[in-house]
Amino acid sequence: MREVFWVMLSLSLSGAGLAAVVALLQRLLAKRLPAGLFYGLWAAVLLRMIVPAGPLRGVSHEAVVRLEALVQASAVQAQGQTVWQSTALTGTPGGAGARGILWLAVVWGAGAAALLLWRLWSYRCFCKAVDSRSRPASPEIREQMRSLAGQGGRLPELVECGGVGAPMLLGLRHPRVVLPAGEFSTQQIRDMLAHEMVHFERRDLALKWAAVVVTALHWPNPAAWYALRQMGIFCELSCDERLTKSWPALRRAAYGALLLRLSQGVPERETPLSASFSEQKERLKERLKTIMTPKNTGKKTALLTAAVLAVAVISFVAMGAYAGRSQQQNSGQDALLLQEVSGLPGGQELEQAQEQEQTPALQQPFEAQGQQVSIAAEFGTRVHPITQQEISHDGVDFVLEEGTPVLAAAQGVVESAGYDGEDGYAVSISHGSGMLTRYCHMQDVEVQQGQTVEAGQCVGTVGSTGNSTGPHLHFSVKQGDAFVDPLALLEQSGE
């Protein structure tokens, strides 16, 4: 549940960032570029809110874990205590922070479910009310629709209803065009049908449904609601633009007069999940301007459109989102995320904990049981006992009795466990923060790949397998891409 919460939050923030870019482009260029372009851009904003990954990685799992830890530290400090639990090794913080995130996820999910159910219920009630007052359209009107669709074109059902103020397209499974009852000329009926057929052919109703679902999933985010509203506005503007672009001025004027007439019967509240010919009155002025002043097309417009699309695509990719625990690489957004929360209570403790996490304390990697322990080879350059060649020794060889328990030097996750021709039975453990420990030449292995182990847990026993001349434990430590002296870390930990 916590993973889902962080994915949703990251997607919501990514979508908000893209919405800001599209809003700026709209403010600067909406008067010069086609409305259909911005209809697609606002749809892309909502798409960004449901795409959990992209070509560029976003916030990493490590940043999310540390942010959860900060929430926990802040909650504990609010109670007058100072408690810090390290999360670098487990990647799963607990306590107040985890419970708080869980409750946020529950509230978020409950809000989304309630909003979707309310939308579905409202839509169902509206459709029932329309269907109860509808009657099939006359054969003459159906023939007009058939001529608009062309030969063999798929047609929605066509009805007339006295309870609606403007024509609209309803229904996903059983689409139908609903015309208002009244006295309309043949040309006015044809224009209304042509408008709704554009919606039908573009599948605008399905896109509106998808947009409503995304908005419900991101209901706490104002950017989602703004994108939904702008997408609805440009849906109608682009439909008008496509329909009237080749019309003469007199016919466009007649079309605008029809819009004005139909707007008188449109309620102040928007019709739920429909593609309507006439929108609320507050949007009418913009639609009339689009109809009466068609935009110029040419090379400059094409180049400007290409530039806007390039900016939108780059922004879509750059607004990377958290894809879950499997994402291992950090990105520059980690630092940004942590920087923005550093001013909260517990921020200084978080920074101190991060510094300590860089070099986790290591415990003794074996259980000596009172036996004398000697070092056969230290870290650095040495002469190989078998090949007699000078080689770089990446760890320390502890001479121990066969069967001595080999212990995990710190908490972590087993990265590999099994037999290796050179190292014999060996185990590698990842401890987070780029640290890896390896235990070689063992007699057997008692853990498996992917298993979480605690510090001091037995991972095998001392042996002489692989390229070895006698019972011993080869213990090495890797930080990042380089091996380091294990004795230095053991000394720091007081072993």
Side-chain angles (χ1 to χ4, degrees):
M1 181 68 78
R2 295 205 319 272
E3 284 287 296
V4 173
F5 171 80
W6 286 118
V7 169
M8 291 298 294
L9 179 60
S10 178
L11 288 171
S12 204
L13 293 175
S14 298
L18 184 58
V21 174
V22 174
L24 179 61
L25 293 173
Q26 176 184 319
R27 185 175 182 84
L28 295 174
L29 301 169
K31 294 181 180 180
R32 301 180 58 184
L33 296 178
L37 173 64
F38 291 97
Y39 179 38
L41 290 180
W42 285 113
V45 169
L46 295 173
L47 179 64
R48 172 71 275 185
M49 293 186 177
I50 57 171
V51 177
L56 295 184
R57 293 181 177 270
V59 179
S60 73
H61 176 65
E62 183 177 352
V64 167
V65 166
R66 291 180 178 179
L67 184 55
E68 281 192 358
L70 178 59
V71 173
Q72 177 182 344
S74 301
V76 172
Q77 279 200 346
Q79 300 174 358
Q81 303 175 18
T82 303
V83 177
W84 243 102
Q85 295 183 357
S86 173
T87 62
L89 303 183
T90 63
T92 54
R99 289 193 298 271
I101 297 302
L102 181 60
W103 275 110
L104 285 175
V106 169
V107 170
W108 191 321
L115 189 57
L116 277 175
L117 288 174
W118 176 77
R119 283 279 193 172
L120 288 170
W121 179 80
S122 300
Y123 177 73
R124 183 176 176 82
C125 291
F126 180 79
C127 288
K128 281 188 173 182
V130 170
D131 291 342
S132 67
R133 296 193 292 265
S134 296
R135 66 176 187 273
S138 66
E140 294 79 12
I141 297 178
R142 289 201 297 271
E143 184 60 34
Q144 285 199 54
M145 175 179 280
R146 192 173 293 109
S147 67
L148 290 169
Q151 293 293 331
R154 177 170 170 256
L155 290 175
E157 183 183 355
L158 182 60
V159 298
E160 292 181 291
C161 179
V164 298
M168 64 185 67
L169 178 65
L170 286 177
L172 281 177
R173 294 178 59 190
H174 304 291
R176 53 200 178 277
V177 172
V178 183
L179 293 178
E183 295 295 328
F184 295 98
S185 68
T186 301
Q187 187 60 56
Q188 287 175 330
I189 292 175
R190 187 173 182 84
D191 288 347
M192 288 189 288
L193 290 174
H195 182 97
E196 297 308 320
M197 285 301 293
V198 171
H199 284 309
F200 177 74
E201 291 168 359
R202 295 194 314 188
R203 292 178 171 77
D204 286 336
L205 199 55
L207 194 54
K208 277 195 171 185
W209 266 100
V212 165
V213 171
V214 174
T215 305
L217 291 175
H218 294 275
W219 63 269
N221 187 355
W225 293 99
Y226 184 75
L228 178 66
R229 177 180 173 81
Q230 293 301 312
M231 185 178 157
I233 292 173
F234 281 99
C235 176
E236 294 305 319
L237 290 176
S238 62
C239 186
D240 293 335
E241 196 174 66
R242 175 175 169 178
L243 192 62
T244 64
K245 64 181 179 180
S246 60
W247 288 0
L250 286 178
R251 189 173 178 190
R252 290 200 302 270
Y255 184 80
L258 178 61
L259 272 180
L260 287 171
R261 174 185 171 181
L262 293 172
S263 68
Q264 304 304 315
V266 176
E268 290 300 320
R269 190 173 61 182
E270 192 171 348
T271 304
L273 286 167
S274 66
S276 176
F277 181 91
S278 185
E279 294 289 337
Q280 294 168 304
K281 297 174 185 178
E282 62 190 49
R283 303 178 185 174
L284 186 58
K285 182 178 179 181
E286 192 171 359
R287 291 186 65 184
L288 291 173
K289 288 175 62 178
T290 299
I291 293 166
M292 299 309 298
T293 56
K295 296 180 175 68
N296 295 325
T297 57
K299 289 185 178 180
K300 289 185 178 180
T301 302
L303 290 174
L304 200 54
T305 300
V308 169
L309 287 174
V311 170
V313 170
I314 292 171
S315 300
F316 186 97
V317 173
M319 303 291 175
Y322 174 56
R325 183 182 298 271
S326 61
Q327 185 171 305
Q328 297 297 323
Q329 295 182 2
N330 292 336
S331 72
Q333 294 190 22
D334 295 1
L336 179 60
L337 176 64
L338 295 173
Q339 180 181 358
E340 290 186 357
V341 300
S342 61
L344 296 174
Q348 293 182 347
E349 288 86 344
L350 177 62
E351 293 177 0
Q352 294 172 2
Q354 290 172 349
E355 293 176 359
Q356 294 174 1
E357 289 166 2
Q358 298 303 315
T359 53
L362 298 182
Q363 297 184 12
Q364 184 171 275
F366 52 84
E367 186 177 314
Q369 299 175 331
Q371 62 179 292
Q372 288 290 109
V373 180
S374 61
I375 296 178
E378 296 185 354
F379 177 82
T381 303
R382 68 155 185 160
V383 176
H384 196 281
I386 296 178
T387 64
Q388 297 300 311
Q389 294 180 347
E390 190 175 86
I391 61 170
S392 177
H393 195 228
D394 60 21
V396 175
D397 289 346
F398 294 99
V399 179
L400 296 159
E401 294 178 4
E402 191 169 2
T404 301
V406 176
L407 312 178
Q411 187 180 28
V413 177
V414 177
E415 188 171 278
S416 65
Y419 189 83
D420 179 273
E422 174 72 20
D423 296 332
Y425 285 105
V427 171
S428 295
I429 302 176
S430 174
H431 304 284
S433 301
M435 174 175 281
L436 183 83
T437 56
R438 185 165 174 80
Y439 314 77
C440 305
H441 305 299
M442 294 189 291
Q443 182 175 265
D444 53 32
V445 169
E446 298 186 9
V447 292
Q448 58 186 359
Q449 185 178 5
Q451 179 180 340
T452 300
V453 295
E454 301 295 327
Q457 181 175 335
C458 183
V459 298
T461 57
V462 172
S464 182
T465 58
N467 199 351
S468 170
T469 58
H472 74 285
L473 169 66
H474 176 82
F475 176 63
S476 61
V477 180
K478 194 175 185 180
Q479 283 189 314
D481 295 328
F483 287 96
V484 296
D485 188 357
L487 293 180
L489 296 177
L490 291 172
E491 289 171 1
Q492 290 178 7
S493 65
E495 295 295 342

